Every structure is written in C-alpha cells, then in structure tokens.
Amino acid sequence: MNDLRHYGSLVWLHLHKELRLEWRSRDTLMGMLFFTLLIAVVFSLAFDPTSNPTLARQISGGVGWLGLLFAATTSLNGSWTREQRNQVLDAHRLSPAPPSALFLGKALANFLFVTAVELVLVPVFILFYNLHTLGNWRLLGAVLPLGTWALVLNGTFFAALSLRGRNRDLLLPMVLFPMSIPALLAMVNATTSIITGEFDPMLWVRLLVGYDVAFTTVALLLFAPVLHAE
C-alpha cells in the first residue's frame, strides 16, 4: 500500500508540473483548439449540414475524431521537447523513480488538455452541424474519454519513442496513425451510432475498452527501455 501511495505521489508530481507549465504558456491548448475549430468550420462550409441533416449526423463523428487526432499530433512532440531543455530528460534517466510514473503523469496531462478542447468542440459541432442525437446520448460520456485516452496514450508513447529521430515531427504521425486505426475505427463508429441511432454502439465501446487496457499495459511496461535507450 505504501509503494502504491508513493507511486501515486510521483505521478501527481509529474502531472502537476505539466499542468503548471501549460497554464503559463497555454501553447498546447490554443494550438489544438484553433486546429480543431478550423476543421469544424471548413467541413461545415464544404458539406452544408443544414441542407442534409442525415449526412451531417453520419460524418460529424469522423470529422471530430480526425480533427482531434491531427490536433493532438501537432502538440504531443512539444510535451517531450521541453523535457530535453537543460538536460531534464537526462535527470529523469538518473532518477530512482520508476519511468512509468513520468509517462503516466504526462499522458494524464495530455488527456486533460484534449478533454478541455473537447468541451469546447462538442457545442461547436452541435451548432455548426445542427446535430440532434437519435441514439443514447449518455453513452458519449463513455466513448469520449475512452477514445481520448486511446489517442493520447499512443501519442505520448510514440512521441517519446521518436525523440531521437532526425525528423521526429514527421516520424510521429507515420507511426501513430497506423497504430491508432483500430481505436479510431471504434470511436468513430461508436460516436456515429450514438448520433444516428442506426445500430448498437456497445461492440465498439467494448473494443475501445480492450484497446485501452492492452495498450496502457504495454506502454507502461515498455516505457523504461524507451527512456533509457541511447
């Protein structure tokens, strides 16, 4: 119990640090928010959702999740880049603290940042796409955090993995997008089924839960070799 409490305090320290840094600069939040709002506006102008509400309900889930994926990708590299300043990452390598605590704290911080963007984005999508949910809208309370965690978990892990790459801004999406296809397929289909009410979303929700559990376990186990790799 004491070990678990100590581990939780380490995760909280890393999370608190990330939140304080973001509060000072707000670079990550503003970048993601601008990008996703731009995508929402461009697609609403291209498809004219008011003239075809059925089409708007069918495409809104995919547009929203793809916008979040692209926006998160543009910001995830920055969360690790600042760890390289003043040899902070080297200090983490020398620290006796478990590397997984650093990873989990940073992943939770990225999860909170993307969730904050979603809280702004959802009302905008409802307004721009004139959405009326035909399914059980309460299930969105499960799909949104599960899908968000899948995006930021893989994004945080692969951003750390690509730190030593010469073209890491290009390397991250090349690795992240293929690995996120199962989760992206599940979250888009679950969201679309809730909005349209045409089929049961529970299969896709269960797939998201399994994906999150599996990749969270793998990322926590493999982050130590990634951090200490030369």
Side-chain angles (χ1 to χ4, degrees):
M1 182 63 70
N2 289 333
D3 291 341
L4 185 60
R5 187 180 296 111
H6 177 64
Y7 185 84
S9 66
L10 292 174
V11 173
W12 166 249
L13 285 174
H14 292 301
L15 173 60
H16 187 247
K17 179 200 69 175
E18 294 294 324
L19 295 177
R20 288 183 62 186
L21 289 174
E22 181 59 29
W23 179 255
R24 292 174 182 174
S25 65
R26 299 181 180 87
D27 291 338
T28 300
L29 282 173
M30 291 299 104
M32 287 193 296
L33 186 59
F34 175 78
F35 196 94
T36 51
L37 289 177
L38 182 63
I39 288 178
V41 172
V42 169
F43 273 87
S44 68
L45 294 175
F47 288 99
D48 189 16
T50 57
S51 64
N52 194 339
T54 302
L55 177 62
R57 282 192 290 268
Q58 290 173 345
I59 69 170
S60 57
V63 172
W65 282 116
L66 284 174
L68 283 173
L69 176 62
F70 291 140
T73 303
T74 61
S75 304
L76 286 168
N77 272 324
S79 66
W80 285 108
T81 302
R82 59 189 177 215
E83 298 288 346
Q84 293 181 307
R85 299 169 188 165
N86 302 317
Q87 288 74 50
V88 174
L89 203 58
D90 293 332
H92 286 306
R93 295 191 184 102
L94 297 174
S95 170
S100 60
L102 167 65
F103 170 78
L104 192 55
K106 195 171 286 290
L108 287 172
N110 290 330
F111 174 81
L112 293 177
F113 299 152
V114 177
T115 301
V117 172
E118 288 174 353
L119 293 177
V120 178
L121 189 64
V122 169
V124 171
F125 262 77
I126 293 174
L127 177 64
F128 276 56
Y129 288 80
N130 194 25
L131 293 179
H132 301 285
T133 303
L134 301 181
N136 185 2
W137 61 269
R138 294 179 181 84
L139 284 176
L140 287 174
V143 174
L144 288 177
L146 287 172
T148 303
W149 180 248
L151 292 182
V152 301
L153 175 77
N154 282 340
T156 305
F157 181 80
F158 289 119
L161 191 64
S162 63
L163 266 178
R164 296 168 185 81
R166 183 172 299 177
N167 297 317
R168 60 174 176 263
D169 290 336
L170 180 62
L171 183 61
L172 175 60
M174 289 178 62
V175 178
L176 176 61
F177 291 175
M179 293 298 295
S180 298
I181 286 177
L184 192 63
L185 182 66
M187 62 184 77
V188 169
N189 278 285
T191 306
T192 302
S193 68
I194 293 170
I195 294 175
T196 61
E198 293 177 353
F199 53 93
D200 186 8
M202 290 310 299
L203 172 64
W204 301 108
V205 174
R206 288 193 288 269
L207 178 60
L208 265 180
V209 172
Y211 184 96
D212 285 353
V213 171
F215 276 79
T216 300
T217 304
V218 170
L220 290 175
L221 292 175
L222 295 183
F223 183 71
V226 170
L227 179 65
H228 293 288
E230 295 297 334

